[in-house]
Amino acid sequence: MAFAPTGRLRAAINLGNPILAHAVGDGGAGGVSVDLAREFARRLGVELDLVVVDTAGKSVDAVANERADIGFFAIDPARGADIAFTAPYVLIEGSYLVRDDSPIRANDDVDQAAHRVVVGKGSAYDLFLTRHLRHAQIVRAPSSPAVVPVFLEQDADVAAGVRQQLEADARGRAGLRLLDGRFMVIRQAMGVPKSRGEQAAAFLAAFVEEMKASGFVAAALARHGIEGASVAPPG
């Protein structure tokens, strides 16, 4: 079977994106991506093994190097060499966080030579801002949940990330504010190693479209109390 050559479906789950996954118990995970993985395994008629990691980069590596059979990623051309992506199933906003007394008032103010912008290493917004920021310096935190602590510890100018993660990390910390709007839309998709062939990629793509159209993704977002993310339109 293209998706489960070991007889079990191995799904890479990234805990660095709180919109899609969270830790459960000792080494386990729950969330929208886990729900989708379970449903896909059920459709295939195989057992599910979760390959739980803490960064997007590790999730990409697990699937690209076939230590996992499927994964959940933000679509980015830098990740497309070894992974076939579906159309997105969820859209998430990437936002900027600054201090209350920062002179930065809008997203367009960020890209200046004097500014240091903290991102999660290997995240979708790291890849995006690496291509789009021409003047500001990028500082890479070891993971997305570490962005705000590194931003504060290094007295950087901007923290960049998923809006909900930044909101959660800023809660209880005085003197921080989110800039209005977004600097990117993060398109979250499923992916399979390209080595599994075009039929496998097409099968996974059809599964994602069915999950959106049937209301499964919307129900999973509601069940896990996720706000600020929307079901992607048909692919």
Side-chain angles (χ1 to χ4, degrees):
M1 182 185 296
F3 285 104
T6 66
R8 301 172 68 90
L9 180 69
R10 300 167 299 171
I13 303 295
N14 170 28
L15 298 182
N17 186 339
I19 298 290
L20 299 179
H22 54 269
V24 174
D26 185 13
V32 177
S33 57
V34 177
D35 291 353
L36 284 166
R38 285 181 178 141
E39 178 62 16
F40 192 60
R42 188 187 71 79
R43 298 288 184 94
L44 296 177
V46 297
E47 296 296 319
L48 175 68
D49 290 333
L50 299 181
V51 181
V52 181
V53 297
D54 59 358
T55 69
K58 291 178 182 178
S59 184
V60 170
D61 287 344
V63 175
N65 293 306
E66 302 205 40
R67 296 191 303 274
D69 305 304
I70 60 169
F72 299 82
F73 316 99
I75 298 172
D76 188 276
R79 296 171 172 171
D82 300 306
I83 297 173
F85 295 108
T86 68
Y89 60 91
V90 163
L91 303 178
I92 302 171
E93 293 185 346
S95 298
Y96 290 132
L97 178 80
V98 298
R99 292 174 177 77
D100 281 343
D101 60 359
S102 171
I104 299 172
R105 311 305 302 181
N107 291 337
D108 289 344
D109 298 336
V110 169
D111 193 14
Q112 298 184 28
H115 294 159
R116 290 181 299 147
V117 181
V118 182
V119 302
K121 183 178 180 181
S123 64
Y125 47 92
D126 176 9
L127 300 175
F128 178 88
L129 292 176
T130 296
R131 291 194 299 270
H132 289 85
L133 292 183
R134 295 290 177 258
H135 308 290
Q137 176 189 350
I138 294 178
V139 177
R140 291 178 175 85
S143 66
S144 294
V147 165
V148 171
V150 170
F151 161 74
L152 294 172
E153 291 164 6
Q154 297 197 15
D155 196 26
D157 303 284
V158 181
V162 174
R163 174 171 285 272
Q164 289 76 13
Q165 176 80 61
L166 295 178
E167 287 174 337
D169 290 344
R171 200 171 295 126
R173 291 182 170 106
L176 301 176
R177 59 181 169 86
L178 280 163
L179 298 186
D180 292 336
R182 64 198 185 198
F183 66 83
M184 71 176 297
V185 174
I186 301 169
R187 300 177 300 148
Q188 292 288 340
M190 292 182 70
V192 61
K194 283 186 174 179
S195 59
R196 303 295 172 85
E198 293 183 1
Q199 280 190 316
F203 187 86
L204 187 62
F207 169 77
V208 166
E209 294 307 311
E210 181 184 346
M211 293 299 96
K212 291 187 291 186
S214 69
F216 185 99
V217 175
L221 290 170
R223 181 167 54 254
H224 294 288
I226 302 302
E227 298 179 356
S230 59
V231 179

